[in-house]
Amino acid sequence: MAPTDHSIDLPHRMHWARWGDPAREEPVSELLRDLVEAFLGDLTPRPAVPEEEVRLADVTLDEGLLDGLRDLLGSEHVHVDHAWRVARTRGKSTPDLLRMRAGDGSDAPDVVVRPASHDQVAAVVTWCAEHGVALVPFGGGTSVVGGLAARRDGFVGVVALDLRRMTRLVDVDTVSGTATLEAGLLGPEAEALLAEHGLTLGHFPQSFRYASIGGFAATRSSGQSSAGYGRFDSMVMALKVATPIGDLELGSSPANAAGPDLRELVLGSEGAFGVITEVTLKVRPVPEERVYEGWRWESFAAGTAAMRRLAQAAPQGRAMPTVLRLSDESETAVNLARPDAVGGSDDPEGADGSGRSGGCLMITGYEGTADQVARAREATTELLSALGGEALGTEPGEAWSHGRFDGPYLRDSLLDVGVLVETFETVTFWSRLEELYAAVKGAVEADLTAQGTPPLVLCHVSHVYETGASLYFTVAAKELDDGVGQWLSAKRAASDAMIATGASITHHHAVGRDHKPWLAEEIGPVGVEVLRAVKARLDPAGVLNPGILVP
């Protein structure tokens, strides 16, 4: 199957200073602006500079080195022009975007290279190690933790390794239920190729439309349907990786006792140990039926208790929903479960569709055969009803499904009018969930209030397990002149609160630059030495995504 080059019409055209499709750049509605100003006060518009005014780092690779890359890949796949360098600068966190919107492209790569095969990737990795050039693997560019801003100091230059020419479905094993995909495929492309065989991954994070298969693996991604399909790392059967000391091919069987599972060294490694070029994944039949519903709970505590009962009943044979999420009272009130309708709902029945104010909205979703969906719905309805939940029917669930990938667009529209909006997440055991929720929310509120910008802090339970759950926070505050510094202060407060309560610094956003100080606290000094040892052995010159992940 010949590779298909999607690199011009999709990621190269992802907006350089916003999320996603440039055609979806829209102003906030007057109704939403009024709502936000009622919470946060008068707003000051903060438009982005024109793209051509973005100031990039000087190119430090000389023509001789650039010619070396052209010899490896062909000159048409080596780009040093302003547009390509801008398009491959940083990721899509709010600090990333604030810097770009202000014209700061100081983390830009010197050159963007576009290999078409594992062998070409391996050749570029070897070339970078030999010449002391930092290399940043680039899939969809959706990192929200500074994972694409490599350290430049100490290196001859920086290469962005764009994997978007690597878009093959390499193999499908319908007997075993696996498929091997090249790392540059974006989520929708992978699903389209698998659908031709009646299959799906079932991995649908909010970044789905622009994130890549390699990125999912490198960051230990978790999708909105993880209650049913599992996290991405649980789907990975095998990996092919290019490292400076040779190729690493892992995964000879579904499970084994052949020492530590080295796949776990690669999953979550964020390009610091090697470049993932192929991933073999567990696949499922495309669902015959999909149903999404809403439930109302009197409080966040009541809703989380019900989620725990559901998750802990699953091992005893009770069917689990494919999608399970719960918004707290504040998130429910502003209708954030449906980003396309925030501040604009004219539904008189309330944000959760119950006809009453207050309470929390839960979304349950079911996917599979008609029989599987019916059994899971029946079992879930029986349990949630017995615990005091109020069934709201399919309208809230279908509304959530319609807008499930739209949150980042809303964030960007609010940035235009001077509202600082950002998200972060964490995970802990059920016994600590209430403490974690209160500690993190309180820390962010206290920090931003002390800065003179009292925030709106929203939260939902995004992923559940038998033993615990993930909390996903959204924060909105009036942006100060130094919006980056303002947010980094609040993020430090939130991160300190996570570690102080024994939670993880991240559930599915990864480490990048932003979480690295707290990773050291989470894994301890011996854990840090393990990561450093692996890095030193696989990447002796330290050229792979330097400054990322490894404390």
Side-chain angles (χ1 to χ4, degrees), residues 54-121:
V54 175
R55 304 174 303 278
L56 303 183
D58 292 336
V59 174
T60 56
L61 296 180
D62 61 33
E63 279 301 314
L65 289 172
L66 292 173
D67 284 342
L69 290 169
R70 294 177 182 120
D71 290 342
L72 291 176
L73 303 178
S75 59
E76 68 272 27
H77 302 305
V78 177
H79 304 277
V80 294
D81 57 280
H82 187 272
W84 272 102
R85 295 178 68 210
V86 167
R88 297 299 181 266
T89 300
R90 305 193 185 100
K92 296 298 180 183
S93 70
T94 293
D96 285 342
L97 296 188
L98 290 177
R99 292 183 176 106
M100 293 300 287
R101 291 163 67 94
D104 174 5
S106 56
D107 290 316
D110 293 86
V111 58
V112 179
V113 301
R114 302 168 61 230
S117 67
H118 172 87
D119 288 347
Q120 286 191 343
V121 170

Side-chain angles (χ1 to χ4, degrees), residues 262-431:
L262 296 183
R263 290 173 299 184
E264 296 295 333
L265 278 179
V266 177
L267 294 169
S269 62
E270 302 181 48
F273 298 158
V275 179
I276 298 168
T277 60
E278 288 183 9
V279 187
T280 300
L281 295 153
K282 183 188 333 180
V283 291
R284 315 282 180 83
V286 172
E288 296 174 6
E289 192 170 314
R290 294 181 176 91
V291 178
Y292 306 103
E293 298 178 322
W295 288 79
R296 181 184 183 276
W297 297 89
E298 285 293 335
S299 68
F300 195 49
T304 56
M307 297 178 98
R308 178 179 62 82
R309 288 285 299 275
L310 261 181
Q312 293 178 345
Q316 280 72 53
R318 184 183 292 271
M320 183 78 169
T322 307
V323 174
L324 183 60
R325 56 179 284 145
L326 173 74
S327 296
D328 71 359
E329 291 86 350
S330 297
E331 186 172 285
T332 300
V334 301
N335 210 11
L336 195 61
R338 185 179 172 185
D340 59 332
V342 171
S345 175
D346 51 10
D347 179 1
E349 296 185 352
D352 63 7
S354 67
R356 288 181 285 150
S357 60
C360 297
L361 175 64
M362 175 186 286
I363 301 296
T364 57
Y366 313 91
E367 300 181 6
T369 65
D371 180 63
Q372 289 169 336
V373 168
R375 286 190 290 109
R377 288 181 74 187
E378 181 180 3
T380 301
T381 298
E382 179 183 11
L383 179 57
L384 296 185
S385 296
L387 294 173
E390 178 184 348
L392 304 177
T394 59
E395 186 174 347
E398 295 301 327
W400 167 81
S401 178
H402 176 75
R404 65 193 294 186
F405 304 123
D406 292 340
Y409 290 105
L410 176 63
R411 182 268 310 264
D412 296 344
S413 295
L414 289 168
L415 288 177
D416 290 338
V417 296
V419 179
L420 182 72
V421 182
E422 184 58 301
T423 63
F424 58 86
E425 37 70 54
T426 182
V427 61
T428 194
F429 296 104
W430 286 115
S431 59

